[in-house]
Amino acid sequence: MLKGVHRPKRPELVKALLLEAGAELLVSGAQVSIGAVADLAGVTKGAVQHHFPTREALVLALYEHLAEEFQAAVADDGSGASAAWRYARPVLDPPSGEASDHGKALLAACVIERGVTSRWAEWVRKDRAQDGQDTNKLLARLAADGLWLSDVLGVYDLSPTEREALARSIHRLAEGA
């Protein structure tokens, strides 16, 4: 009697594929559903539901994954940079490729899921607390947020010279220089 083919289970790999597929859907503006993620990742709906029983759980896990990447990028690196400047740097010197897409997906996740928006707002409030009540640092963060949104939506086509001038201005606000 022949036994069926045994494929080794690799749950962490499958989970990573699912999160990447979800991020890709968010970036493209497509509907994020268990079926769409399964199709894009090349797995069954059951495989998706094994890791994420509901669409909400999938989007929340996707947010957690993307936010973790962003938070690691802006964590205190011992350079003495203010929290506001560390927050602004990834926007001013945007990564390319997958990292850039992940930033877009993070923003999209915040837009489509109310629970995600609350979590993001809570993290931003905590991160901002490191700046105290400095209005210039808040202005630097708000400028970075506006630039991020503009980049995601393709609103302004900034030249390298304009981007550098913005970076200097935001740096002065964030660092009080």
Side-chain angles (χ1 to χ4, degrees):
M1 176 175 190
L2 292 175
K3 292 191 177 203
V5 176
H6 174 72
R7 284 187 252 160
K9 300 212 183 259
R10 297 168 50 191
E12 290 307 311
L13 176 62
V14 171
K15 188 174 182 180
L17 285 171
L18 298 175
L19 292 172
E20 198 54 45
E24 193 174 320
L25 289 168
L26 284 170
V27 169
S28 71
Q31 182 70 23
V32 177
S33 67
I34 288 176
V37 169
D39 289 345
L40 192 56
V43 300
T44 65
K45 287 182 183 180
V48 178
Q49 290 174 315
H50 172 75
H51 292 279
F52 311 109
T54 65
R55 178 193 172 278
E56 182 181 60
L58 170 63
V59 173
L60 194 54
L62 185 53
Y63 162 77
E64 293 293 338
H65 172 70
L66 297 168
E68 198 174 279
E69 283 182 356
F70 179 80
Q71 292 164 6
V74 302
D76 190 349
D77 58 4
S79 68
S82 71
W85 180 240
R86 291 191 316 270
Y87 180 85
R89 278 190 307 212
V91 175
L92 294 164
D93 187 19
S96 61
E98 185 178 288
S100 175
D101 286 347
H102 284 187
K104 291 175 184 176
L106 177 59
L107 179 60
C110 288
V111 170
I112 67 166
E113 193 68 48
R114 209 64 189 126
V116 166
T117 306
S118 300
R119 286 178 183 229
W120 176 251
E122 181 182 331
W123 179 83
V124 170
R125 279 192 290 276
K126 286 179 183 175
D127 190 62
R128 180 182 171 222
Q130 298 175 64
D131 294 330
Q133 296 299 311
D134 188 321
T135 308
N136 284 335
K137 289 181 180 179
L138 174 58
L139 189 55
R141 285 172 176 273
L142 292 169
D145 286 344
L147 184 55
W148 185 27
L149 182 60
S150 172
D151 286 348
V152 167
L153 299 176
V155 176
Y156 297 104
D157 185 20
L158 300 175
S159 70
T161 303
E162 290 172 312
R163 195 169 202 84
E164 180 58 35
L166 286 171
R168 284 192 305 274
S169 294
I170 292 173
H171 185 256
R172 280 193 301 274
L173 287 168
E175 298 295 3

